[in-house]
Amino acid sequence: MSDCLFCRIAAGEVPADKVYEDERVVVFKDINPKAKVHLLVIPRIHLESLADLEPDHDKLMGYMMRLLPKLARDQGLEQGFRTIINTGKGGGQVIFHLHIHLVGGPGLPGF
Ligand code: 5GP
Ligand code: ZN
């Protein structure tokens, strides 16, 4: 059994409020939402962070990027959304399984 929390969520071993999944990605609600909509988009394969990407992952990353606006639309974010990828301790990453934060809704603070 993996000791990675997000691998375990992807495998269904740890419960999460999933809104979408397919053979490549799993999308679920952040347990501590920072906005009205706050989703986490993860690849099923374990990748620690952006710093671990290899050329082989280009298609997967492109797939995740193209999925984002569809997920946002399904959440009612017609006006737009924000994406954040924290990388490494210095970037505020806490869970070391690559994830894209998709946030949106009224009152999103400036960045
Ligand atoms: P990071 O700082 O690594 O970019 O973000 C990790 C995110 O994972 C945080 O926003 C945190 O709230 C979320 N998170 C941590 N543990 C869990 C969990 O068990 N379930 C869900 N759904 N989200 C989690
Ligand atoms: Zn993992």
Side-chain angles (χ1 to χ4, degrees), residues 44-77:
R44 280 194 186 274
I45 59 166
H46 181 81
L47 291 166
E48 278 206 3
S49 78
L50 287 183
D52 286 331
L53 291 180
E54 304 281 353
D56 273 3
H57 302 126
D58 287 359
K59 263 183 106 167
L60 172 63
M61 293 308 292
Y63 178 74
M64 289 172 72
M65 290 298 146
R66 291 204 313 110
L67 186 61
L68 293 166
K70 296 178 198 161
L71 294 165
R73 224 177 299 125
D74 288 349
Q75 296 293 317
L77 299 176

Side-chain angles (χ1 to χ4, degrees), residues 2-8 43-47 96-98:
S2 171
D3 59 1
C4 168
L5 174 64
F6 284 1
C7 279
R8 297 190 67 198
R44 280 194 186 274
I45 59 166
H46 181 81
L47 291 166
F96 286 86
H97 179 126
L98 176 62

Side-chain angles (χ1 to χ4, degrees), residues 18 32 36-37 41-42 47 50 74 90 102 109:
K18 293 179 185 172
N32 181 21
K36 184 157 184 288
V37 175
V41 183
I42 68 167
L47 291 166
L50 287 183
D74 288 349
L102 190 169

